């Protein structure tokens, strides 16, 4: 941290003692997992800085934004249309959900066998450890899975800040109508919250900002197709994770600077690892900061992660919003259509996801796919069984959570899988 | 069994050896749990007979129905409109889903930590032990939970018979439109399958048949409010379970005959147990045949179960369909509205369920509520935590599956809870 934020944290009502402990653990983990990597691109220094200030400078920025009457909107899912939040000059931030924090407190509100991501967002809040949650004016949930859908009811009892968007279960015509209606309702909700109107001008600008961010992330993804790969999976994952927290314009610029550097590396035939490493595509559940376990295991077992078919990954940037619209209404329609292309396992059927995995594996020259499900994440867990039967390339199912208890067992299984790929 | 059905089972492709074993286990369990009860109403003899012939005479009836060009429709959920199936002269049957059967086979298709009901319906089919599944022309699923929603995709790969109705996640205006559209689509599906038209006449008759069935079940429920209670919870549960399998007209008649007898008992002040027993309302997940574990434990611990706030219980019969309609279209609307009153935990929010539990507890003079969730049944599990915080009467959460491994532990916990009620 560049300075002392104690007063800020105190004003947010954080549990200072525990928060100090959390930051120490996070900082140590980051040193061990990230800073120990070799041949990192220079461009990662920005993202290292962001992480070191994730509960500091960024929170101060949000504090300043709020002083300037901007609203802070917390989200948990790639289904929440960022474009609308930006159009009303709002700030969107992903909330803390990636560490085994406050689980004891959370288990008084949700069952023990709830997925770690849900227990974490409840736990972070209940333990007073998520400055983002405290900064929010509104927290937007969605009905993507049973766990989140029902936990949001309870989270609303605790925070009184929830707004839930309904994601349908299918993608038929009536679902498209329902979802468009949800996006329109969200627009009105944001306009009322911010006392600002969404206009053609601010909507076009917002769509462009988000599209540029997605393009930068796509550009980064494509650079991972090269052998030798110019960036580690861990570093690329971090960039994807930070996309949910950082200012989108600054973030896009920094990702593009990183990509410029990676392009130079590619031209020089330089990589972060030697050429010929076993290449893994990870598919499945999201990876919230600081959930780096699976990438760390794979890259410490002699392979490299070349892509994430994940909400913190390709599901977040694969599709752009069509910028050709000439009324606000038409813009809302384009946004709604774009979001309904997301191949979340919450849909039935969701056969496009299998195609997307196949295409991504091919595009990234991956040797095999590791399907990762958070424990009790039923949609992805179930879908992985189906995919397993339908693909003809090396495919491994993994189910895990945030604890380190299964670290050894996972490493053994992954090493065995990697051996079959050589 | 009244006769030898081996040939019929063979023609359905059942695994004869395993099926024989299953029937023996079922028969023994029934003797131990049901036939050992004292003071049973005479009217239960019919239901004893139905159970003894559940894989025999009823299957033969379905076989005869199919010979007469009637279609057999398998269902898993109270959200599937029976009225429409009856209107096209179809037969609806619940599929086998209540026992730990074929789990090893099922776990090749779905994760181990999937709810027992889902593993059971997959297991029964995969092990060749459900004659109902084999008799079906169509199996109707619904998107009530992540587990079923995704398992149906896999079940369709196995059976090629699935049709899935979309249940929305909320009950807003756009959800009502979506659901009405689903009911209309289901009507067309059934008309195409049976090559029969739904007319005002056959729809009115069908609505009446189903309403009469629900009225009989409501009548039975109300009789359980008396002290001493004229029927055991186990017997009442069985009647509710059989409502998903039996011919609805015959079933209604038999339930009403049973209720006549129970009314006489009430008049005489006679009960199946002595007056003053501790009275329990069970709330939560469904109980598929032969899932009698929880009722058996409670009634062997000195209390009586007076109601089931469950799909196999009040959720199945609480609301009737308005019979006042003068076109098919209007009838479909009335049916769609009626089904959307069901307070399944799949909805968010679902606050009417809490009121329904409170009202049912009061109406049945229950001393306490035991909330029962099938393990990994996220919607009910999560909702039970919320309800627990909102009610001011004795409330206990239980999470279990079909195995007998936790029998002792459950009994200890339940006995401790019952002690607090005395």
């Amino acid at each position: 941290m560049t300075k002392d934020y104690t007063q800020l944290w105190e004003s947010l009502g954080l549990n200072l003692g525990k928060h100090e402990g959390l930051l120490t653990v996070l900082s140590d983990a980051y040193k061990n997992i990230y800073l120990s990597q070799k041949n990192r691109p220079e461009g990662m220094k920005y993202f290292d800085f962001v992480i070191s200030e994730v509960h500091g400078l960024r929170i101060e920025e949000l504090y300043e934004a709020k002083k300037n009457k901007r609203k802070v909107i917390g989200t948990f899912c790639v289904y929440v249309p960022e474009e609308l939040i930006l159009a009303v000059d709002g700030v969107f931030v992903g909330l803390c959900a990636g560490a085994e924090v406050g689980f004891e407190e959370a288990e008084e509100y949700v069952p023990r066998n709830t997925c770690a991501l849900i227990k974490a967002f409840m736990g972070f809040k209940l333990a007073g450890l998520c400055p983002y949650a405290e900064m929010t004016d509104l927290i937007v949930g969605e009905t993507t899975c049973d766990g989140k859908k029902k936990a949001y009811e309870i989270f609303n009892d605790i925070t009184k800040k929830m707004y839930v968007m309904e994601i349908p279960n299918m993608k038929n015509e009536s679902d498209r109508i329902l979802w468009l209606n949800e996006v329109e309702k969200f627009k009105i909700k944001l306009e009322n919250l911010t006392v600002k109107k969404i206009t053609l001008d601010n909507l076009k600008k917002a769509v462009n900002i988000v599209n540029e961010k997605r393009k930068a992330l796509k550009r980064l993804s494509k650079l991972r197709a090269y052998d030798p790969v110019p960036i580690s999976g861990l570093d690329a994952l971090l960039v994807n994770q930070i996309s949910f927290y950082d200012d989108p314009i600054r973030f896009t610029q920094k990702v593009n600077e990183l990509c410029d550097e990676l392009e130079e590396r590619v031209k020089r035939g330089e990589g972060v690892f030697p050429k010929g490493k076993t290449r893994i595509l990870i598919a499945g559940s999201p990876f919230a900061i600081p959930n780096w376990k699976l990438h760390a295991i794979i890259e410490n077992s002699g392979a490299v992660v070349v892509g994430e078919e994940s909400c913190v990954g390709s599901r977040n940037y694969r599709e752009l919003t069509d910028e050709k619209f000439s009324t606000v209404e038409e813009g809302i329609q384009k946004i709604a259509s774009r979001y309904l292309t997301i191949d979340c396992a919450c849909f039935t059927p969701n056969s496009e996801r299998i195609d997307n995995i196949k295409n991504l594996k091919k595009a990234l020259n991956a040797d095999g796919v590791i399907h990762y499900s958070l424990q009790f994440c039923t949609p992805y867990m179930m879908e992985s069984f189906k995919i397993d039967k339908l693909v003809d390339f090396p495919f491994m199912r993994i189910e895990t959570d945030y604890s380190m208890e299964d670290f050894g067992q996972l490493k053994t299984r992954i090493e065995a899988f990697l051996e079959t790929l050589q």
Side-chain angles (χ1 to χ4, degrees), chain A residues 25 51 125 166 180 209 229 267 292 336 340 370 377 417:
Chain A
V25 170
I51 282 292
K125 166 65 193 168
E166 182 174 5
L180 176 61
I209 289 169
V229 64
K267 273 186 209 154
W292 304 310
L340 218 51
I370 295 183
C377 173
F417 178 68

Side-chain angles (χ1 to χ4, degrees), chain A residues 292-311:
Chain A
W292 304 310
K293 185 166 85 170
L294 187 55
H295 284 67
I297 292 175
I298 295 170
E299 299 202 331
N300 282 307
S301 303
V304 55
V305 177
V306 294
E308 294 79 26
E309 189 276 340
S310 166
C311 298

Side-chain angles (χ1 to χ4, degrees), chain A residues 132-145:
Chain A
Y132 291 93
E134 305 308 328
M135 300 295 289
T136 51
D137 298 288
L138 189 74
I139 300 175
V140 186
E142 16 55 50
T143 61
T144 42
C145 68

Side-chain angles (χ1 to χ4, degrees), chain A residues 77-81 139-145 148-149 152 162-171 174-187 189 336 339-340 344 346-347:
Chain A
C77 175
V78 294
Y79 247 98
V80 179
I139 300 175
V140 186
E142 16 55 50
T143 61
T144 42
C145 68
K148 287 203 280 177
K149 179 166 72 176
Y152 290 145
M162 286 301 305
Y163 176 85
V164 179
M165 297 184 79
E166 182 174 5
I167 316 292
N169 292 302
M170 295 186 173
K171 292 184 180 179
S174 42
D175 302 294
R176 290 181 189 280
I177 294 168
L178 185 144
W179 172 242
L180 176 61
N181 191 31
E182 285 297 298
V183 177
E184 283 164 351
K185 271 160 60 181
F186 185 50
K187 167 183 174 280
K189 177 77 190 173
Y339 279 86
L340 218 51
C344 175
C346 69
F347 290 100

